[in-house]
Amino acid sequence: MTAEILIKFARKGIILSPEAYDLIKNSKNPINLSSEIIVKLKSGNYSNDMVPVDVDTIKSMVGLNLDMKGPINEERPKVEERPAPVETKPPETKEVVEKEAAKPVVEKAETQEKPTDVLLKEKETQEKPKEEEKPKVNPGYASEHVVKIEDAEVSKDVEIKYKRNLTESKVNFDKFKVLKDTSNKSYTSGEIGNLIEYFQNRYKKLSGILEKRPELRTWQKINEITENQTDLNLIVMITDIRSTKNGHYLIEVEDDTGSMPILVSKDNDELIRAARNLMRDEVIGVIAQKRAGQSENQLAICQNLIDPDVPRKDRKEVDFGTVFTSDIHIGSSTFLEDAFVRFTKWLNGDYGSEEQREMANNVKYMIIGGDIVDGIGVYPNQDKELAIKDITAQYDEAARLVGDIRSDIKIIITPGNHDASRVAEPQPAVPEKYAKSLYKLNNVEFLSNPSTVSLDGLEVLIYHGRGIDDMVMGSNDFSHERNDLVMKEFLRKRHLAPLYGERTPLASELEDHLVIDNAPDVLHTGHVHINTYTNYKGIHCINSGTFQTQTEFQKIYNIVPTPAEVPIIDVGGVYKQLKFID
């Protein structure tokens, strides 16, 4: 039961305080109560931040059945044991005694076990060794691409050959281009009119992508549907989706001219699977049928659901290497500084085998996709897990460590939810006033989250990854461990956080900057501290893990990070994953 409760919340990215867990565990129906709490949290009336849900939050939820089996975290009062009453029998006659004595002893033994036998059986049951559970292997973890960097430091002679950060860089970065950076481009006042323009812009962008699909070249607006028309080709935004008591899915959709309901029949397995991963506020194409004689806002039966999706891309051949990092969390007491120093020494050619040092010698770009520091006040009681409790001092320490990397590697830094940037996405670049020491490094480029860069023709979309939380909350098909599947879904939906108003705070800008306007060669995410890799239609989908060991709340939910494993796209466009820790 314990594991089932924890897994139920962990799959939805919800953290419970120990007291809240005790409350649920001691209820009469823990599983049902867990489901009710998850529904309440998803309603949007409670905090969506990655902070533990406490007892007070649960008790404030209206309509929960909080019947308890007994007191919580209290010892039950001991019941005073009294001797059993002794039965008094009438004196037995001599004939009765002799008759009872004549009965065979075996008969009694067959029908009644001695108390000592029962105790021995219970002891045997308790002492029976449990079968060892084999550790589950995450299918999204790219084990076939993993390369363990050898624990070998080089001699001074070899160090001089590779260590090029001792002199000023003469590497040409003319082919490096920033394709998208939303820093200093915030044009919102927070009024309702901005929110309307935000969704209108999202619809305009994604409908422009969808209308190029062959199935939707003759698409129409909802108010253009005629009474006798039966075949419908629509591009719409989802406003609501729910399952009916008969197992169908009912999708409420709209465009800028009207709204209507679409039914996905339970008898169409393929469409039901597709409908299960639909989310509010995403834009899709719908092919449907309605009865002749019905008005345009009457129910239509879905025949096909069409995602904006990305086109297939040819593999880019590159003559340089790019390393992908994120979630370094400098300043945390769980930051793996030794492993990070081994990584920087490898980049400088001071660590690893000769072949591995040659791989490092080819590295031209390094990306840090958010959470370079652990931040201050990100979650309650964070100060207890901080080694550095000042945000500027954290960035100063980051400058010391990153500054050791040779100067002919261009380093691109974007913010995450732990950085000193605004929380709402798109996040502008980390402000210079907090990270002056990092800004002094000549080879560092600060960009927004998300942002897109061209690394000598290799287009990389950098996104920290908070949208992963909403995908996991919104569908049972996704989990933080299988974030590779979530990255595929981002590309299918052509959006990094389609669900508005949930765990991912989104700024209602006049333009929706989280739409994937152009298909990249690489989609780089972080945030969940678990390395995964997949290739979708020729696009490298990379989650770069972390340089932080397992935190306290991760231990509670059995979330196992994959620390100190650095992805690289090596010469020739080959993906590898480098381990700097045993």
Side-chain angles (χ1 to χ4, degrees), residues 465-477:
R466 286 200 76 178
I468 295 172
D469 295 337
D470 286 334
M471 287 287 190
V472 172
M473 286 283 286
S475 172
N476 289 328
D477 289 351

Side-chain angles (χ1 to χ4, degrees), residues 336-348:
L336 294 168
E337 181 175 350
D338 289 347
F340 188 76
V341 169
R342 283 196 290 273
F343 164 60
T344 58
K345 289 176 75 173
W346 168 78
L347 280 175
N348 292 335

Side-chain angles (χ1 to χ4, degrees), residues 395-409:
Y395 282 112
D396 287 344
E397 178 66 3
R400 181 184 72 82
L401 292 166
V402 173
D404 279 342
I405 297 171
R406 63 178 206 254
S407 58
D408 60 351
I409 294 179

Side-chain angles (χ1 to χ4, degrees), residues 199-213 216-221 234-237 254-256 281-286 306-309 493-495 515-517:
F199 281 110
Q200 286 176 338
N201 179 263
R202 176 185 294 191
Y203 179 79
K204 181 181 178 182
K205 282 185 171 188
L206 291 171
S207 62
I209 294 170
L210 280 162
E211 67 185 4
K212 296 173 184 175
R213 297 288 295 271
L216 295 168
R217 282 177 182 164
T218 58
W219 72 284
Q220 61 190 142
K221 299 281 189 177
L234 306 170
I235 296 177
V236 290
M237 181 178 287
E254 68 176 6
D255 60 20
D256 53 357
D281 307 324
E282 71 169 295
V283 179
I284 59 169
V286 176
I306 302 167
D307 289 316
D309 213 338
K493 295 180 187 300
R494 296 290 285 266
H495 204 286
V515 171
I516 302 174
D517 297 303

